[in-house]
Amino acid sequence: MATETEPMASEPTNPAAATGDPLVVLENVNKHFGPLHVLQDINLSVRTGEVVVVIGPSGSGKSTLCRTINRLEPIDSGTITVSGEVLPEEGKGLARLRSEVGMVFQSFNLFAHKTILENVMLGPIKVRKEKSAVVRERAMALLTRVGVANQADKYPAQLSGGQQQRVAIARALAMQPKVMLFDEPTSALDPEMINEVLDVMTSLAGDGMTMIVVTHEMGFARRAANRVVFMADGQIVEQNTPEEFFTNPQSERAQDFLSKILTH
Amino acid sequence: MALAESGNLAVGGVQYLWQEHNAFLDGLLGTVKLSLIAGILSTILGLIVAAMRVSPIPALRIAGTAWSGFFRNTPLTLVFLGTSVVLPIVGIRFAWADAIGLDTFFIFAVIALSTYTSCFVADAIRSGFNSVPVGQAEAARAVGMTFGQTLRLVVLPQALRTVLPPLASMYIAMIKNSAIAEFFNVGELTKFFDDSVRDHPEHLYAEFIAVALGYIVLTLLVSAAFNLAERKLAVTR
Ligand SMILES: Nc1ncnc2c1ncn2[C@@H]1O[C@H](COP(=O)(O)OP(=O)(O)OP(=O)(O)O)[C@@H](O)[C@H]1O
Ligand SMILES: [Mg+2]
């Protein structure tokens, strides 16, 4: 297995050859919202340590894909496995599996009635039943890592968007997840705050965290991703290394999409 | 002359009330006991029904909705009739209650009042749940919380502030509704009123004012308690 500490993906690599064993596997996944076929026969395998960026036009099903992986959205057919385990339907098994899949939302969704520190500690204490002292230490280390340790006793509403999103990342990391899902983590942020969040994500990728990231930040994709997955109309149309995808898109849909986001 | 007469009557009324103050206090205590127990039970029941109505299990959602729909659309008097008359007919008589000195009429009244009130409590709590952004519950689920933990640790605490004002009105309405228990032979404030008026119609005004004051004091106490709670919640946020 290749070492993870090298600067990642600056040169084209074969996506199929990237890193470890399959960690998140989607097979023939279908989902409808009423008549709308949002996910159409999705097959996707993400390996341990891999960073996958999902890109595509609005409404193509990127968020839905992300949300099915921890079953915030149930699927109609197909299977999704996380480290070999099929996602349970409901109940305690599902809750346990979810706790191993970190999720970061576009709108942060920090618990509004809890302080920053409590936000990070709540999951490990209530879900994992860990000791408060142990969790506090880990939570403070994580808050330090994302650069908001000095805000620990404030409430979410008192922080800037960028700070809140970094806390949300720390909250997810506190559960020591196997994989992290990001659904447009920077698109609700003012431009000057985008980089502070992307920097945290880049360093996370550098540490070997398995990540699935819905984003249109091409700089991040080039810097941190092993693979770009392009979605349109509920299908995975194309996937490739960031370099290949951005410089030499194969499908017409991707060419069209890239020309639009590059020219504005 | 007329003035002196009404003056005499007023003095007589006060004297009468003083003489009967034990019966009055018994009635007041009956209303307090009934309201307090029914208040607690309807809150617990209302919480359960509200949770059922947002639960991921369809059968529970349907049952919760049916419960709310049934009791909201049934007159309280009918609910009282249902418990005091129908329950004994189908064999639920709380025979053990007499043995420990509890009035079975009181038990039936508690059941009627708390089931009836529970659906309004459930509605208030449910609309409180809905006032909390969905992202909060999604974040809780994403962290691995169960449905119960999500409600208890994340949604309910944030819903509380929205829920308190309608809950206060509901408990006040319940205290007043408890007067119906009188028809079912439960010793409480309205029963004191009726009994007094029957035996001493000449003191109608005094009796009326005393009983009205009794209800007003109780409802004002509930308002004050809820105002205090609201202010406490506002400070801790
Ligand atoms: N809960 C829902 N009920 C019905 N339709 C939905 C629901 N959620 C999403 N959709 C629809 O499904 C389609 C895919 O939505 P999704 O949010 O996955 O797209 P997306 O690729 O994330 O788009 P965006 O870039 O705008 O975030 C859209 O047409 C959307 O309107
Ligand atoms: Mg989206």
Side-chain angles (χ1 to χ4, degrees):
Chain A
M1 204 185 299
T3 54
E4 282 293 334
T5 45
E6 295 168 307
M8 303 186 80
S10 49
E11 74 274 59
T13 48
N14 178 1
T19 54
D21 301 325
L23 181 63
V24 177
V25 181
L26 289 82
E27 276 175 354
N28 302 318
V29 170
N30 282 284
K31 167 150 190 88
H32 296 78
F33 283 123
L36 183 69
H37 200 170
V38 255
L39 296 180
Q40 306 179 14
D41 274 318
I42 299 287
N43 286 286
L44 179 69
S45 174
V46 177
R47 293 159 180 275
T48 305
E50 199 179 7
V51 177
V52 172
V53 159
V54 180
I55 201 169
S58 181
S60 56
K62 308 178 298 292
S63 297
T64 309
L65 178 75
C66 219
R67 292 160 56 86
T68 55
I69 294 173
N70 63 1
R71 215 168 194 285
L72 285 180
E73 296 287 356
I75 57 177
D76 299 337
S77 66
T79 54
I80 300 178
T81 58
V82 175
S83 49
E85 265 184 273
V86 179
L87 288 184
E89 292 272 304
E90 259 314 323
K92 292 232 153 56
L94 178 61
R96 184 182 52 74
L97 208 125
R98 272 186 186 140
S99 73
E100 297 175 349
V101 179
M103 178 136 192
V104 175
F105 301 85
Q106 182 174 350
S107 47
F108 330 133
N109 295 349
L110 292 179
F111 303 132
H113 61 308
K114 298 278 183 193
T115 65
I116 298 309
L117 183 61
E118 288 168 346
N119 260 275
V120 180
M121 293 176 63
L122 195 64
I125 289 178
K126 297 297 181 181
V127 175
R128 292 270 166 74
K129 318 283 182 212
E130 290 183 71
K131 286 228 168 59
S132 162
V134 181
V135 177
R136 178 180 299 268
E137 207 169 301
R138 188 163 81 233
M140 281 313 293
L142 284 168
L143 288 176
T144 305
R145 176 174 175 181
V146 300
V148 285
N150 54 346
Q151 317 282 338
D153 295 325
K154 292 192 179 164
Y155 284 88
Q158 297 171 283
L159 268 59
S160 75
Q163 289 173 324
Q164 289 190 50
Q165 194 60 301
R166 285 182 282 149
V167 174
I169 295 173
R171 174 177 67 180
L173 289 175
M175 298 300 289
Q176 303 174 311
K178 293 177 175 158
V179 50
M180 289 276 284
L181 310 172
F182 296 81
D183 186 6
E184 305 210 32
T186 58
S187 56
L189 295 177
D190 292 335
E192 75 270 20
M193 295 173 185
I194 291 178
N195 279 330
E196 64 190 47
V197 171
L198 289 180
D199 286 348
V200 169
M201 292 168 58
T202 307
S203 110
L204 203 55
D207 288 351
M209 174 59 78
T210 311
M211 293 162 62
I212 299 173
V213 186
V214 178
T215 184
H216 290 167
E217 295 293 333
M218 286 192 293
F220 171 79
R222 284 176 188 260
R223 220 178 329 145
N226 302 90
R227 179 160 44 131
V228 172
V229 168
F230 176 73
M231 279 188 81
D233 294 333
Q235 292 172 318
I236 294 181
V237 176
E238 175 172 351
Q239 43 184 320
N240 216 326
T241 60
E243 199 58 36
E244 271 297 300
F245 177 77
F246 289 121
T247 53
N248 187 20
Q250 302 297 307
S251 64
E252 214 171 288
R253 296 295 311 259
Q255 289 162 5
D256 186 46
F257 175 74
L258 285 176
S259 72
K260 277 182 190 139
I261 65 167
L262 288 173
T263 49
H264 77 235
Chain B
M1 171 69 186
L3 206 69
E5 202 164 277
S6 65
N8 280 342
L9 255 180
V11 171
V14 171
Q15 275 173 347
Y16 166 76
L17 281 178
W18 179 246
Q19 198 182 308
E20 291 296 315
H21 74 274
N22 274 333
F24 172 79
L25 289 179
D26 277 350
L28 189 67
L29 190 67
T31 295
V32 169
K33 272 202 308 203
L34 185 55
S35 303
L36 209 62
I37 298 176
I40 292 168
L41 289 182
S42 64
T43 306
I44 296 171
L45 214 55
L47 259 175
I48 294 171
V49 173
M52 282 165 70
R53 296 192 66 178
V54 296
S55 111
I57 301 165
L60 288 183
R61 281 203 299 272
I62 292 169
T65 311
W67 178 277
S68 281
F70 181 78
F71 285 107
R72 189 177 28 203
N73 296 310
T74 307
L76 178 56
T77 320
L78 272 187
V79 178
F80 264 96
L81 264 176
T83 51
S84 317
V85 178
V86 179
L87 284 187
I89 290 176
V90 299
I92 304 173
R93 294 197 182 84
F94 299 104
W96 49 265
D98 278 335
I100 57 168
L102 255 181
D103 179 12
T104 46
F105 289 118
F106 180 78
I107 296 181
F108 287 131
V110 163
I111 293 175
L113 202 54
S114 35
T115 46
Y116 178 79
T117 309
S118 74
C119 77
F120 297 100
V121 172
D123 272 357
I125 293 175
R126 196 172 63 108
S127 64
F129 287 168
N130 290 340
S131 74
V132 179
V134 277
Q136 294 288 308
E138 286 195 340
R141 286 155 69 204
V143 156
M145 289 188 200
T146 59
F147 171 73
Q149 287 177 319
T150 302
L151 275 192
R152 192 161 44 82
L153 301 171
V154 175
V155 180
L156 194 58
Q158 296 189 58
L160 213 52
R161 255 211 305 183
T162 339
V163 163
L164 284 184
L167 273 192
S169 320
M170 222 136 322
Y171 293 131
I172 287 170
M174 191 198 66
I175 290 175
K176 298 187 287 181
N177 284 339
S178 73
I180 292 184
E182 183 225 353
F183 297 117
F184 298 89
N185 221 0
V186 176
E188 45 76 73
L189 211 44
T190 305
K191 188 164 191 322
F192 163 80
F193 178 70
D194 272 7
D195 291 351
S196 312
V197 172
R198 187 189 58 223
D199 299 342
H200 296 276
E202 70 278 13
H203 298 307
L204 176 67
Y205 292 123
E207 291 153 348
F208 177 82
I209 290 170
V211 169
L213 278 179
Y215 278 112
I216 288 172
V217 166
L218 292 185
T219 54
L220 283 181
L221 280 177
V222 171
S223 294
F226 272 81
N227 283 338
L228 197 74
E230 267 176 68
R231 221 162 320 136
K232 271 248 165 74
L233 270 182
V235 171
T236 54
R237 275 291 286 282

